[in-house]
Amino acid sequence: MATKRNEIVSLVVSFIALQIIAKGVVLLSLWLFRFFGMPQLWEWYRSLEHPGRTRFFIVLLVWMIGNIVWILRRRKV
């Protein structure tokens, strides 16, 4: 599947960037909730057996749905 742009590389790079950004956004939002009087979310996230794995799967699911929609829209054009 030769294309003008190397889509696989761009999808992998976007996923890695998304994982880095997602970690920061999740930790920042949980910290803000904790700071403004809702430490329950922080404690829930920290009590998970593998909080990083949970975040990874959520971001992976959102990323895959977004890329499938993007590919299907591109295919129609």
Side-chain angles (χ1 to χ4, degrees), residues 4-69:
K4 292 179 183 177
R5 292 181 287 173
N6 196 349
E7 292 181 14
I8 295 174
V9 172
S10 68
L11 292 177
V12 169
V13 169
S14 70
F15 180 67
I16 292 170
L18 184 63
Q19 283 295 323
I20 294 169
I21 293 169
K23 181 176 183 176
V25 168
V26 166
L27 293 178
L28 179 65
S29 63
L30 289 174
W31 185 81
L32 284 174
F33 280 123
R34 181 180 177 195
F35 181 72
F36 287 110
M38 290 182 62
Q40 299 89 352
L41 292 174
W42 179 268
E43 295 301 324
W44 168 77
Y45 183 73
R46 290 296 173 195
S47 70
L48 292 173
E49 192 171 329
H50 300 287
R53 189 179 298 170
T54 304
R55 184 189 64 244
F56 174 80
F57 285 132
I58 292 170
V59 172
L60 179 64
L61 181 66
V62 170
W63 179 79
M64 286 179 63
I65 290 170
N67 280 317
I68 289 171
V69 168

